[in-house]
Amino acid sequence: MEPRLTPALLTGDPTPGAAPPPSHPAGHEPYWDIESGSPLTDEVRMSGFKHLMVGCMAAACLSEEPWDLHNAPELTDRQALAGMLGALGAHVGVDAAAERVRIDAAPLTGHRVPADWSAQVHGGAYLLPVLLARHGQVESGAHGGCRIGGGHRGGRPVEHIARVLERFGATCATDDGGLTATAPRGLRGAVIDLAEFSTPDPHGGLPTGPHYSGATKTALLAAASARGTTVLRHPYPKPDAQELARVLALAGVAVDVTPDAIEIQGADGPIGAASVTLPSDLLEVVTFVTASVLLDQELTLRLTRPDVVREGLAPELRHLRRIGVPLRWDGDMLHIRPAVGPLTADRVVAASHLVYSDAQPLFALLLLAASAPSTLVETVWSGRFGYVDGLRSMGARLAVDGQELRIHPGPLRPAPGPLRGTDLRAAAALLLAALAVGTPHRLYGVEHLARGYARLPAKLRALGGRITPGTTRAPDVPGATDVAGTQDKEAFHDV
């Protein structure tokens, strides 16, 4: 019998139209107390791919037939998008046990993205093209998420979304991190070179940068129900965009994907139904590979759609092999064994066609165990070295020079005080570092983790991690500044 889908409120997601619940008492901040213990198991199942889930939840609004998303992880983004869709009139049901979400957008009537929800996550930005396509108008306030990328007052930028929508015939205005757009005659197909929304990678010349992915996904969603043909040249090459194109094809949109372009014949109206099984989250896979290496424990990751994972992580897997992390693939399983001896030094470039920017902090942890100095280069986001001060407090010798991080290998030691994660992956890196040191640590900024990892404390218990959550009055944690772009080449000499 098919599992019964319940209203989102009954499964931890918001009731349609409800305001977002407060995450903690006013003036208080959540934390985790982290300790290490004996591992409970050597197998962990990876949750679904967040970056594809948010695009699919938005795409469901282009249809008047139900969409089913399977392997949809229980994250803040899922909760917030369900809240936004409910407030806009859609019906959202969640089977929490099966991680299945059903979206019926037929009754969706609203065009204003609820500001209280959109301020929590960046995924609401993908509602902008679909609400515009559906109603001929859309309004939103600022969009939240990690404070990276230089948006208004730390929010996520939307100017590139406006520029894409204008190519489809919309009239757009941006203000205070929000967007207002109208297209009373509907959207029309366009030819867009998405390299215009990128900068050349200085190390290889290929497109990269903070707007490249969002511009590609915005264009895909706008094109699906537009009038006429859209050609997207040089689209963002990673699975969060490429798989979204294939999902639109499942819903009956005529999509032709080639290595250098995506051509979409717009439906000129609503698209069809779709049933989508999300692949495992690529960044969660890299996180648990890193945890296995740092804790010197064998681990098996159980994957969904491992072909997508393996293809999407091809740059990361090349570097993992190069530095000496033993990996073995077996069907839907990825086996990680402890490394033999020190890892090999490397130069890792985070770029839209290379290693994920989200994976860069995790490689920093791994390269602390290398036999010689290594270098990380960030070409996508600013603000992506927010973990550096926390690792320095644990004895790491790290030097930031613009968008490069030089890593001098050496063991970590207990931090003298609490740690703070300034964004999702910075919090993940400091969490793993604390587990690797083996002594109790307190970590602030853990609210970021709920946007990228489903049921993380339970999964870490498999590796011996013991997480005790709590809240306290917001402390002043020293050494938690954003070091991106600073010039501190002398940092090695300060250790």
Side-chain angles (χ1 to χ4, degrees), residues 27-31 389 416-422 442-445 472-481:
H28 285 66
E29 183 175 4
Y31 63 81
D389 283 339
L419 302 167
R420 180 181 296 281
T422 55
R442 177 165 291 184
L443 175 65
Y444 290 96
T472 187
R473 289 203 174 274
D476 180 17
V477 179
T481 57

Side-chain angles (χ1 to χ4, degrees), residues 53-350:
M53 177 181 71
V54 296
C56 288
M57 291 185 75
C61 299
L62 295 170
S63 178
E64 295 182 351
E65 302 176 55
W67 276 45
D68 285 324
L69 304 183
H70 303 270
N71 199 30
E74 184 181 352
L75 300 173
T76 303
D77 290 67
R78 190 185 81 181
Q79 181 187 36
L81 278 164
M84 292 183 227
L85 294 180
L88 292 165
H91 295 158
V92 182
V94 178
D95 177 358
E99 293 190 315
R100 175 187 168 203
V101 176
R102 170 168 287 181
I103 300 170
D104 180 1
L108 187 150
T109 57
H111 70 277
R112 293 184 178 90
V113 179
D116 287 345
W117 285 114
S118 67
Q120 293 191 12
V121 299
H122 83 275
Y126 297 114
L127 295 178
L128 299 173
V130 301
L131 295 178
L132 179 63
R134 182 147 179 169
H135 301 306
Q137 58 180 332
V138 67
E139 297 177 26
S140 85
H143 296 269
C146 292
R147 291 178 174 268
I148 54 178
H152 180 78
R153 295 181 181 176
R156 297 301 277 267
V158 295
E159 289 77 11
H160 61 297
I161 293 176
R163 287 172 55 206
V164 170
L165 295 178
E166 287 170 349
R167 301 291 289 273
F168 287 90
T171 300
C172 301
T174 59
D175 183 42
D176 294 335
L179 182 145
T180 300
T182 58
R185 297 183 179 180
L187 300 179
R188 61 176 184 270
V191 177
I192 304 176
D193 187 344
L194 288 154
E196 298 174 17
F197 297 86
S198 70
T199 55
D201 165 23
H203 307 273
L206 293 176
T208 191
H211 303 152
Y212 188 25
S213 168
T216 299
K217 286 182 271 190
T218 298
L220 284 169
L221 293 167
S225 62
R227 181 176 65 258
T229 301
T230 295
V231 178
L232 304 180
R233 295 182 178 137
H234 304 111
Y236 180 72
K238 289 189 176 292
D240 21 330
Q242 299 288 318
E243 286 296 311
L244 179 59
R246 295 182 178 97
V247 166
L248 294 172
L250 286 177
V253 181
V255 178
D256 182 24
V257 179
T258 66
D260 298 320
I262 302 175
E263 183 173 315
I264 307 104
Q265 182 62 46
D268 195 16
I271 66 176
S275 180
V276 182
T277 298
L278 300 174
S280 293
D281 192 283
L282 278 64
L283 282 308
E284 187 178 39
V285 170
V286 178
T287 300
F288 276 84
V289 169
T290 303
S292 175
V293 174
L294 294 180
L295 298 173
D296 199 29
Q297 294 181 20
E298 289 195 21
L299 183 63
T300 295
L301 306 182
R302 183 174 291 277
L303 307 175
T304 303
R305 299 181 63 195
D307 55 327
V308 177
V309 175
R310 197 165 182 174
E311 179 181 355
L313 287 180
E316 286 80 359
L317 294 171
R318 284 196 296 270
H319 282 286
L320 289 171
R321 286 192 296 268
R322 188 181 302 166
I323 67 177
V325 176
L327 301 174
R328 181 172 63 86
W329 295 83
D330 180 15
D332 63 352
M333 313 288 272
L334 174 59
H335 304 280
I336 309 116
R337 298 194 313 275
V340 178
L343 299 177
T344 302
D346 201 359
R347 178 181 175 86
V348 178
V349 178

